[in-house]
Amino acid sequence: GNRAGSAMASQEQGVQLRAVGFCGVDDSVAPELLACVSARYPWVEWGVLLRQEKAGEPRFASQGWLQRLATVNQDDTMRLAAHLCSSHCEAVLAGDGSDLRRLHAEIGFRRFQINATKANNVDSAAVNAATCDRVRQVMLSLPEVEFIVQRNAETQELWKGLAQDPPSNMSFLFDDSVGRGVAAESWPSPDEGSPAFGYAGGLGPSNLADHLRRMAAPAAGRVVWVDMESSLRTKCVGPRSYVGA
């Protein structure tokens, strides 16, 4: 493969990576440019935040932008992850996977992250064993995609419930910052027999290499992914903020 791709898995980098997530792509960046980056660096995963009441605002893609992305990704070569917030997340918690099936078929999303936290306008306190059963059924009904569950204190009812009988297409994301962009002091080790997993929280271009080395021991030889979001954004004068170069 290309040198950049092989470098992502080199020992001197520390942990072995399957993908690097760039989250919060929105209407300020052309999907065509993202496709160019994907073609050159196939390990890049674009995280698209879906939240109906904020669609079109900075960090949240509009419906029109998603349609452009679908056109650009007709050959299905881009790594795309939909981060489900608010009503999108609540639908999955209620056992409805129909929207995910459409997003996979029409746009090419390969992974879906269930953001069942207050910060994403979801009441995680309402999650119980019946919720976990409904979510598990959604996962089992879409074996061709991967589901990511945030694994932190706020979401423990969900991830602990699902971990008792984990679908093979489920992964965990360790993110104790819960999307606030706070770097971890240390990275957690997975439980014995844990599903696939990734790390997020305060990662960015300035500290990623250092944290990849720190992740090597806790990851214990497992291949992981990492996600970045808040560090990628440039504050601009005016009403919009943009994905930084």
Side-chain angles (χ1 to χ4, degrees), residues 123-129 131 134 157:
D123 180 13
S124 54
V127 172
N128 55 30
T131 314
R134 290 193 296 267
E157 288 295 325

Side-chain angles (χ1 to χ4, degrees), residues 85-109:
C85 310
S86 198
S87 58
H88 292 279
C89 180
E90 287 169 345
V92 177
L93 298 181
D96 181 2
S98 56
D99 200 36
L100 310 191
R101 189 172 278 105
R102 180 187 63 78
L103 288 165
H104 172 62
E106 293 181 8
I107 302 177
F109 283 106

Side-chain angles (χ1 to χ4, degrees), residues 15 189 199 212-221:
V15 73
S189 291
Y199 292 120
L212 291 178
R213 283 189 288 272
R214 292 195 213 175
M215 289 170 190

Side-chain angles (χ1 to χ4, degrees), residues 89 92-95 114 127 130-141 147 149 158 162 167 170:
C89 180
V92 177
L93 298 181
I114 300 169
V127 172
T131 314
C132 296
D133 288 340
R134 290 193 296 267
V135 173
R136 186 180 288 106
Q137 288 309 310
V138 171
M139 292 177 175
L140 294 172
S141 74
F147 287 86
V149 177
L158 184 62
L162 289 165
M170 179 184 76

Side-chain angles (χ1 to χ4, degrees), residues 149-208:
V149 177
Q150 286 183 313
R151 190 191 184 286
N152 53 46
E154 188 180 350
T155 61
Q156 63 178 337
E157 288 295 325
L158 184 62
W159 67 258
K160 282 185 175 176
L162 289 165
Q164 288 170 15
D165 184 13
S168 60
N169 59 334
M170 179 184 76
S171 326
F172 285 153
L173 177 70
F174 290 99
D175 180 10
D176 288 329
S177 83
V178 199
R180 295 191 315 270
V182 181
E185 289 296 313
S186 62
W187 298 97
S189 291
D191 299 327
E192 190 71 37
S194 167
F197 62 94
Y199 292 120
L203 298 173
S206 64
N207 67 6
L208 186 59

Side-chain angles (χ1 to χ4, degrees), residues 13-183:
Q13 292 273 358
V15 73
Q16 287 204 332
L17 292 177
R18 56 187 277 213
V20 177
F22 290 71
C23 303
V25 289
D26 59 19
D27 292 48
S28 70
V29 61
E32 293 81 1
L33 290 178
L34 302 183
C36 290
V37 174
S38 291
R40 180 68 183 83
Y41 304 105
W43 40 264
V44 169
E45 180 178 74
W46 304 110
V48 184
L49 296 167
L50 299 182
R51 184 165 173 172
Q52 212 156 4
E53 66 272 18
K54 288 181 176 278
E57 294 180 22
R59 292 174 55 238
F60 298 93
S62 69
Q63 197 55 48
W65 189 91
L66 289 170
Q67 287 166 353
R68 279 178 66 193
L69 180 62
T71 302
V72 167
N73 192 41
Q74 278 178 335
D75 58 357
D76 211 25
T77 55
M78 299 172 73
R79 283 182 190 257
L80 301 176
H83 293 224
L84 307 170
C85 310
S86 198
S87 58
H88 292 279
C89 180
E90 287 169 345
V92 177
L93 298 181
D96 181 2
S98 56
D99 200 36
L100 310 191
R101 189 172 278 105
R102 180 187 63 78
L103 288 165
H104 172 62
E106 293 181 8
I107 302 177
F109 283 106
R110 302 180 192 176
R111 303 212 295 169
F112 293 97
Q113 182 169 310
I114 300 169
N115 287 350
T117 61
K118 190 174 181 180
N120 294 292
N121 198 32
V122 176
D123 180 13
S124 54
V127 172
N128 55 30
T131 314
C132 296
D133 288 340
R134 290 193 296 267
V135 173
R136 186 180 288 106
Q137 288 309 310
V138 171
M139 292 177 175
L140 294 172
S141 74
L142 285 160
E144 65 273 30
V145 302
E146 183 177 340
F147 287 86
I148 303 162
V149 177
Q150 286 183 313
R151 190 191 184 286
N152 53 46
E154 188 180 350
T155 61
Q156 63 178 337
E157 288 295 325
L158 184 62
W159 67 258
K160 282 185 175 176
L162 289 165
Q164 288 170 15
D165 184 13
S168 60
N169 59 334
M170 179 184 76
S171 326
F172 285 153
L173 177 70
F174 290 99
D175 180 10
D176 288 329
S177 83
V178 199
R180 295 191 315 270
V182 181

